[in-house]
Amino acid sequence: MDWLECGVLFTVALIATIALTPLAKRLATRLDAIDYPSSRRVNNRPIPRLGGVAILGGLVICVLVVFAGMRWAGWRSPFVSYPGMPVNYPVMLVGVLFMFAVGFVDDVMSLRPRIKLAGQIIAATIVACSGLLLSSIHNPLGAGYIEFGWLAYPLTIFYLVAFANIINLIDGLDGLAAGICAISASTIFVFAIITHRYDAAVFSIALAGACVGFLRYNFHPASIFMGDSGALTLGFALGIVSLMAIARSALFVSLLVPVLAAGIPVLDTAFAIIRRVRAHKPIDAADKGHIHHRLLQAGFSQRKTVLIMWGWTLILALSGIFITETTGLMRIPFLVIILGVTLYMVLKLRLLDPVLLHHYHPRGRKDYLPDQMASRHAEEASHDGRRKPGCDGR
């Protein structure tokens, strides 16, 4: 596999997604898969939400181009299983299609959370049955691998479902999820090339191309949203290519690459879970405490908020690559960058406020969510020019 082939796949996925997006918009309008303005949404006009159709179409066309290249252009097949971990690629692709179907039905009919989760688990189970498993990690304390045995199946299912949902949760602003997925997929592509995992490289560069193509219509002001059909499919596909890239890796720190590449969605999801548990709310309850909501509350526009989060993602992703490619004390500067940037953003955006507020006011705060907390801070600041002791733990 050479750089020309990679460039062709990226371009094909990009152009195909751009070409299919208007068709997806018309399909969404016909099926009434529309995001109408509401108190929990930032759009002020109805916008179609079946962008996942175009994204999946771009990926499928890209795979077909791979087979065409193998047949007529002498491309080497990237579908080669690793020693000790044979993968049935058609079965794996069935799992991706099933996840897309779950998101598509939810976009059109609004599935109940439990039914949607069950569908995600089935899709992840199909992929696990294809042979793609988080079956072992390199022993950080010695030679060889730590094998998970039968636990590889539940671990893989959890990993893939988690990836699908963290991208779904971050999809709250025009272009945010598509841009983060493009950066994450590009990072995994670089790591896959470095480690000679060509199946991961093919799928990740196709993902990056599809995401960049979708941004043509999805960046602010968006004319279409990706919906669950896009967010779940992209997150699920990212989980798959990251597993391909790190499977049987000789580097324990290679596990950091997919985690840091999707670092902001992971962090946002963790804070969302803590926030809702502390407020005695269901984990899937909607609120306005996500990182992008905090940036908007801080006065940034949609475009600036998205660009800030893209930049943050890029810093984490590049640091992850450098950590895997360095050893010993050379890794320390990159770890400092990761911790420093993340800690600054957490403190600057006051992401820990819901936890600290619950700690100091444990009773009578069940309905106290971050959007109400922000208005309370503003009222107190305008009342006496300073924050009252105890309202934020200081």
Side-chain angles (χ1 to χ4, degrees), residues 149-198:
W150 65 269
L151 287 175
Y153 286 92
L155 283 173
T156 301
I157 292 169
F158 174 81
Y159 181 89
L160 294 175
V161 171
F163 247 94
N165 281 284
I166 63 175
I167 298 302
N168 197 26
L169 282 175
I170 204 71
D171 183 27
L173 292 180
D174 298 353
L176 179 57
I180 286 179
C181 287
I183 295 170
S184 300
S186 300
T187 303
I188 294 172
F189 167 75
V190 172
F191 182 74
I193 290 295
I194 292 173
T195 55
H196 307 290
R197 306 298 168 87
Y198 299 117

Side-chain angles (χ1 to χ4, degrees), residues 137-139 142 144-145 195 197 246-254:
I137 58 173
H138 186 258
N139 186 354
Y145 294 87
T195 55
R197 306 298 168 87
I246 66 175
R248 306 296 294 186
S249 174
L251 297 172
F252 179 77
V253 293
S254 65

Side-chain angles (χ1 to χ4, degrees), residues 16-350:
T17 304
I18 291 176
L20 292 172
T21 301
L23 301 178
K25 291 168 66 175
R26 288 200 286 270
L27 178 63
T29 302
R30 181 172 296 182
L31 297 176
D32 195 32
I34 306 292
D35 268 356
Y36 293 98
S38 68
S39 59
R40 55 167 293 195
R41 303 187 187 279
V42 298
N43 56 299
N44 53 18
R45 60 187 176 86
I47 296 180
R49 61 166 180 258
L50 278 181
V53 173
I55 293 171
L56 179 70
L59 296 176
V60 170
I61 291 174
C62 203
V63 171
L64 294 178
V65 169
V66 171
F67 284 110
M70 290 164 51
R71 182 175 180 86
W72 291 296
W75 291 9
R76 199 171 80 183
S77 173
F79 307 109
V80 178
S81 300
Y82 312 136
M85 196 182 74
V87 176
N88 188 319
Y89 292 99
V91 172
M92 183 189 70
L93 292 176
V94 169
V96 175
L97 292 175
F98 194 94
M99 181 63 82
F100 166 80
V102 171
F104 182 90
V105 174
D106 186 57
D107 284 338
V108 176
M109 301 176 55
S110 296
L111 295 172
R112 293 180 180 178
R114 290 184 180 180
I115 295 177
K116 185 162 67 172
L117 179 60
Q120 295 169 13
I121 292 174
I122 292 173
T125 301
I126 293 172
V127 172
C129 290
S130 74
L132 182 64
L133 293 168
L134 185 59
S135 57
S136 63
I137 58 173
H138 186 258
N139 186 354
L141 303 178
Y145 294 87
I146 300 174
E147 303 288 345
F148 294 132
W150 65 269
L151 287 175
Y153 286 92
L155 283 173
T156 301
I157 292 169
F158 174 81
Y159 181 89
L160 294 175
V161 171
F163 247 94
N165 281 284
I166 63 175
I167 298 302
N168 197 26
L169 282 175
I170 204 71
D171 183 27
L173 292 180
D174 298 353
L176 179 57
I180 286 179
C181 287
I183 295 170
S184 300
S186 300
T187 303
I188 294 172
F189 167 75
V190 172
F191 182 74
I193 290 295
I194 292 173
T195 55
H196 307 290
R197 306 298 168 87
Y198 299 117
D199 53 354
V202 164
F203 286 116
S204 57
I205 199 63
L207 276 175
C211 290
V212 174
F214 186 64
L215 283 172
R216 163 67 179 79
Y217 295 94
N218 186 237
F219 193 58
H220 185 74
S223 61
I224 186 172
F225 294 152
M226 66 173 62
D228 278 17
S229 59
L232 290 178
T233 302
L234 283 179
F236 193 62
L238 274 177
I240 289 174
V241 297
S242 66
L243 274 183
M244 289 179 177
I246 66 175
R248 306 296 294 186
S249 174
L251 297 172
F252 179 77
V253 293
S254 65
L255 295 172
L256 287 175
V257 173
V259 174
L260 290 175
I264 293 181
V266 170
L267 186 67
D268 193 44
T269 301
F271 278 118
I273 292 173
I274 295 172
R275 183 171 65 245
R276 291 163 187 173
V277 169
R278 289 290 190 178
H280 305 286
K281 296 287 182 180
I283 291 177
D284 59 350
D287 62 36
K288 291 187 177 180
H290 292 285
I291 294 174
H292 56 271
H293 288 132
R294 291 308 189 90
L295 285 166
L296 291 173
Q297 291 165 7
F300 293 100
S301 65
Q302 272 210 55
R303 283 183 176 234
K304 288 183 179 179
T305 295
V306 169
L307 291 174
I308 288 171
M309 296 184 71
W310 286 1
W312 186 2
T313 298
L314 184 61
I315 290 172
L316 296 181
L318 291 177
S319 297
I321 291 292
F322 284 122
I323 286 174
T324 60
E325 292 303 301
T326 55
T327 58
L329 296 177
M330 293 295 293
R331 291 173 175 167
I332 294 179
F334 302 108
L335 292 172
V336 170
I337 291 172
I338 293 169
L339 294 175
V341 171
T342 302
L343 184 60
Y344 172 79
M345 295 297 289
V346 168
L347 296 178
K348 185 70 174 179
L349 298 178
R350 310 179 68 84

